[in-house]
Amino acid sequence: MSARSRRHRRSDLVALAIAAPTIVVFAAFSWWPIVLGALMSFQRTTFIGPVDWVGWDNFVYVLEDPQLAQAVVNTLWFTALAIVFGFPLPLALAVVISTVRARARGAYAALAYFPVIVPPVVAILLWRFAYDPAPTGLFNSALRPLGVGPFAWLNDAALAMPSIVLQATWAAAGTSVLVYLAALTAVRPELYEAATLDGAGVWGRIWHVTLPQMRTIILIMLLLQLIGAAQVFTEPFLMTSGGPQNATLTVLLLMYRYAFGGSADYGAATALGVLLAVVLAVLSTVYLRLTRRWQE
């Protein structure tokens, strides 16, 4: 072994020794609960009595549950609405904010990020107040001059999910706006100048310069939003509890019902969690393979 190789190996060992405590803590608090959850999906336990190994029974129970199909359809519906309406909005806001003067840009970015710093429970309760189905409700009062409504919002099976998507988009868009703004600073100004000399207008510069230069971060943000939307829980739990008529019952809300809905079926809850994790892992792998060429 050469002297250079020995130095590199010694340097790698020192780096590993420095990182070891962090790796151990991360594994203990992040990976060990995942392992325990995967094991629990093959058990029947109440955390009080003995644990029974039941094999695939929990998975069979979950897959035969008629509520699962409803939860999957609702989750897909939420994800589709969140992507169609919630994904382009932060990107458009970031592009608009990037065009204002640098001194005012920080203020606009802070305003866009403000909903994120509002505690989620507080924000959701405020939106529930705004969705009051009475004619004197905030949104119904705002729409009355237009001759529209009143709407039942969260009490209407057709409107409940879009109403939740609207609140979730408002609450989460600020983080994406900041990410896109940071990515926009990496776009070289001379590209815009060249596009302008070629006669490109505002939309031409966005289409031919901004979007191609940001395609990697856009594709990553799309994947993160897909994963996040598939795991929606807080909004339907606090706003509708899955109603009306299970119109907003999502996969994670069904998981919660298994565990804390009275039956205390923790094995079924973790089995559903494992199934969701597998689906998202497969989806992410396929997505990254399909978009690999666009990320280069």
Side-chain angles (χ1 to χ4, degrees):
M1 182 181 295
S2 65
R4 175 179 289 183
S5 298
R6 284 197 296 272
R7 282 198 301 272
H8 283 169
R9 185 173 182 181
R10 193 180 305 118
S11 176
D12 292 343
L13 290 175
V14 170
L16 182 61
I18 294 174
T22 304
I23 295 173
V24 171
V25 172
F26 182 81
F29 289 97
S30 296
W31 288 99
W32 185 237
I34 295 175
V35 173
L36 290 179
L39 290 175
M40 193 181 296
S41 65
F42 295 97
Q43 299 172 342
R44 181 175 293 115
T45 177
T46 60
F47 296 117
I48 300 176
V51 173
D52 297 326
W53 289 88
V54 295
W56 296 97
D57 287 0
N58 289 326
F59 292 91
V60 173
Y61 171 77
V62 169
L63 293 174
E64 291 180 347
D65 186 351
Q67 292 189 97
L68 178 62
Q70 180 72 55
V72 170
V73 170
N74 291 341
T75 302
L76 291 175
W77 179 228
F78 177 90
T79 303
L81 291 175
I83 295 299
V84 171
F85 298 105
F87 183 71
L89 179 63
L91 180 58
L93 282 176
V95 171
V96 172
I97 292 174
S98 68
T99 61
V100 303
R101 291 181 302 173
R103 182 175 298 179
R105 197 175 301 158
Y108 285 112
L111 286 175
Y113 192 72
F114 178 76
V116 180
I117 65 176
V118 178
V121 175
V122 174
I124 290 171
L125 292 179
L126 288 175
W127 277 78
R128 280 189 60 179
F129 172 78
Y131 281 136
D132 187 345
T136 56
L138 182 61
F139 285 159
N140 283 333
S141 298
L143 293 174
R144 190 186 311 133
L146 303 176
V148 179
F151 296 108
W153 303 113
L154 300 176
N155 296 329
D156 187 321
L159 291 177
M161 190 62 86
S163 301
I164 290 176
V165 171
L166 180 61
Q167 189 280 331
T169 301
W170 171 86
T175 301
S176 299
V177 169
L178 293 189
V179 173
Y180 289 134
L181 279 174
L184 282 168
T185 60
V187 181
R188 290 179 296 167
E190 54 265 33
L191 295 177
Y192 290 113
E193 295 171 2
T196 303
L197 291 176
D198 289 340
V202 174
W203 289 110
R205 292 195 296 273
I206 292 174
W207 184 257
H208 294 292
V209 179
T210 303
L211 294 181
Q213 291 295 311
M214 294 179 60
R215 63 178 182 273
T216 300
I217 191 68
I218 291 173
L219 291 172
I220 292 175
M221 293 296 291
L222 178 58
L223 176 61
L224 293 178
Q225 184 154 354
L226 279 170
I227 295 174
Q231 300 182 66
V232 61
F233 171 75
T234 307
E235 289 82 1
F237 176 68
L238 292 176
M239 298 183 85
T240 60
S241 297
Q245 301 169 0
N246 286 334
T248 58
L249 175 66
T250 62
V251 172
L252 255 64
L253 195 51
L254 180 60
M255 197 184 308
Y256 175 85
R257 287 184 179 179
Y258 284 150
F260 307 107
S263 60
D265 195 343
Y266 304 109
T270 52
L272 181 54
V274 170
L275 290 173
L276 178 62
V278 170
V279 170
L280 291 179
V282 172
L283 175 66
S284 301
T285 302
V286 172
Y287 176 87
L288 291 174
R289 284 187 176 276
L290 291 177
T291 60
R292 179 182 298 172
R293 182 170 59 86
W294 298 337
Q295 297 182 39
E296 295 174 349

